[in-house]
Amino acid sequence: MGKAGRAGGAGERSAIVVGGGIGGLAAGVALTRSGWQVKVLERAATFGEVGAGLSLWPNGLRALDAMGVGDQIREQALVETQAGIRNTSGRWLSRTDTQELARRFGPVVMIHRAQLFDILRTALPAGALCAGATVTRISVRGRRVEVEHGKGVSQADLLVAADGIDSTVRRSLWPQAPAPRYAGYTAWRLVVDTGRRLSAGGESWGRGERVGIAPLTDGRTYLFCVANAPEGQRNPGNELAEMRRRFGHWHDPIPQLLTAADEEAVMRHDIYALPPLASFVTGRAALLGDAAHAMTPNLGQGANQALEDAVTLAGLLDAYPDVESALATYDRHRRPRTQMIARRSHRIGIVAQWHSAPAAALRDLMLRLPPGSAMLNALTPILSWQPPGRDNLMGPHVG
């Protein structure tokens, strides 16, 4: 990735990034490394991330390498050495050859979201971060964009919308875009400290329910649970009790993790996805991450695709002489790929959440039949992604 952005003419180029999550910070880091002056606007009073784990796949790690922070990530992350799917009694239905996956593509690592967030945040100049900046007005006029927010009015050559699935920028500049849709299931997430480190994780599937476990570097464990449920259903003050009711009888170490869990650590969110958009760009504005392609978490690719977006956008702005051409190519590169991954994730979620006994039994049989290499082959179009270079920037890119 170059050190001096070309798009937009002579002089230092400027960009406003709306949204201070992982995708927004990644965009800020990638653009800063390409010579852009960046301001990241975050509506919250402080920059921070929720207490949950995050899988970084080989494609996401390559993007982080392109931003110059990959080694820092690896120092704080834990390589996943065991993965696969069990049933509720603990019998393996499908096992992932993590050694072969690492040989083909590179390792998968688990990190606390807050650790990744802090690494990206500290890679930005202190003056680039602007908290408490709720966007109230956006205009794109010719070669300039203007954003009015809680701290004043900012102008720049480029606007990057990384403000999540309910993006204010998308609603403003893409008024015809479809609204997010409920996937039909809800998720609980928390980090648990049992006083002992787990040696391995993985997922377990039941009838309309799932549990995922991932050890973290500090000895704690990231735990997520998924269940079919009506949209908006909640158990105020009793979410942990609901988790124990649903999953407390599953195989070890799930009951022990739930016993050690703290109600205050439980986060519950219904799962939504964004229907396919006709374009990720308009004028000098581009959508990135969940604002562009929010997907269900069944492939673990949401954050990884935001990281890909960030380095691709910065690389294209280096490669093209003007912002509009760079953004048009960004749309051609990113939209087919991310929408393909979103479709795959949606289909996996449908099968994983089958509830009837015959359907779940058929699904479990289907998981046991294919050889382990079949799963790796299916992941190849996703995990083989490489950061953009001069030789692969100019045409459509799906794989």
Side-chain angles (χ1 to χ4, degrees):
M1 190 176 296
K3 294 295 184 182
R6 295 174 54 207
E12 188 174 43
R13 267 65 66 185
S14 59
I16 298 169
V17 179
V18 179
I22 288 172
L25 293 185
V29 172
L31 289 169
T32 298
R33 284 177 58 84
S34 288
W36 287 70
Q37 182 182 15
V38 176
K39 178 176 286 188
V40 181
L41 306 179
E42 168 57 43
R43 66 181 178 181
T46 59
F47 282 80
E49 257 293 345
V50 297
L54 175 67
S55 292
L56 290 173
W57 290 76
N59 53 312
L61 285 170
R62 290 189 209 104
L64 290 161
D65 286 333
M67 296 177 213
V69 298
D71 289 342
Q72 295 179 62
I73 297 297
R74 292 179 180 87
E75 289 174 359
Q76 298 192 36
L78 188 68
V79 175
E80 292 192 346
T81 58
Q82 178 175 285
I85 300 171
R86 308 183 196 210
N87 63 14
T88 59
S89 65
R91 177 188 179 187
W92 286 102
L93 302 173
S94 172
R95 301 193 72 163
T96 303
D97 187 339
T98 54
Q99 289 186 334
E100 177 62 14
L101 188 152
R103 187 191 68 80
R104 287 198 199 182
F105 311 110
V108 180
V109 304
M110 176 62 61
I111 193 169
H112 197 289
R113 293 183 71 96
Q115 291 175 294
L116 172 59
F117 181 90
D118 286 343
I119 290 171
L120 292 172
R121 178 178 54 81
T122 55
L124 283 167
L129 303 174
C130 183
T134 300
V135 172
T136 56
R137 183 182 61 83
I138 304 164
S139 63
V140 181
R141 298 176 181 175
R143 299 175 65 85
R144 300 289 285 175
V145 296
E146 185 175 276
V147 179
E148 186 174 326
H149 51 86
K151 296 297 181 70
V153 178
S154 299
Q155 293 186 345
D157 303 304
L158 171 70
L159 174 63
V160 180
D163 51 341
I165 189 171
D166 295 315
S167 170
T168 297
V169 179
R170 189 182 66 241
R171 289 198 303 268
S172 176
L173 299 183
W174 284 259
Q176 303 305 315
R181 295 174 185 167
Y182 182 48
Y185 41 93
T186 192
W188 297 266
R189 297 179 294 159
L190 68 157
V191 174
V192 182
D193 187 356
T194 63
R196 66 182 184 91
R197 182 195 296 271
L198 292 183
S199 59
E203 288 195 23
S204 302
W205 291 11
R207 293 172 49 190
E209 297 176 331
R210 284 178 283 165
V211 174
I213 299 169
L216 299 173
T217 51
D218 61 4
R220 296 183 297 169
T221 302
Y222 172 54
L223 173 71
F224 68 86
C225 301
V226 183
N228 296 342
E231 183 178 10
Q233 183 185 73
R234 293 293 184 271
N235 302 281
N238 292 293
E239 294 295 352
L240 182 55
E242 177 66 7
M243 294 174 70
R244 288 169 175 164
R245 182 187 70 81
R246 287 177 176 270
F247 307 105
H249 60 284
W250 288 30
H251 67 83
D252 293 338
I254 296 170
Q256 292 87 345
L257 291 169
L258 291 172
T259 297
D262 185 340
E263 174 72 39
E264 294 183 357
V266 178
M267 297 172 289
R268 180 175 178 178
H269 298 94
D270 289 346
I271 302 300
Y272 291 84
L274 188 65
L277 302 182
S279 178
F280 288 176
V281 304
T282 181
R284 286 182 166 237
L287 298 171
L288 182 147
D290 282 354
H293 47 70
M295 59 188 71
T296 58
N298 304 301
L299 278 170
Q301 279 291 314
N304 292 273
Q305 290 306 302
L307 298 172
E308 286 188 19
D309 288 347
V311 297
T312 302
L313 178 61
L316 289 167
L317 288 163
D318 268 354
Y320 281 83
D322 61 276
V323 169
E324 290 81 2
S325 297
L327 294 191
T329 310
Y330 169 79
D331 184 60
R332 291 198 302 271
H333 275 249
R334 298 305 303 160
R335 188 159 48 85
R337 174 170 170 77
T338 55
Q339 291 177 354
M340 174 272 291
I341 294 171
R343 287 193 301 271
R344 288 192 179 192
S345 185
H346 174 72
R347 289 196 294 265
I348 291 171
I350 290 174
V351 174
Q353 293 302 128
W354 280 349
H355 180 268
S356 74
L362 175 62
R363 178 202 64 201
D364 293 354
L365 177 62
M366 291 165 53
L367 286 170
R368 289 196 296 268
L369 291 178
S373 59
M375 188 275 288
L376 296 182
N377 292 337
L379 288 174
T380 296
I382 300 172
L383 302 187
S384 60
W385 177 89
Q386 296 289 336
R390 296 285 177 179
D391 58 345
N392 66 354
L393 281 170
M394 299 304 176
H397 182 71
V398 177

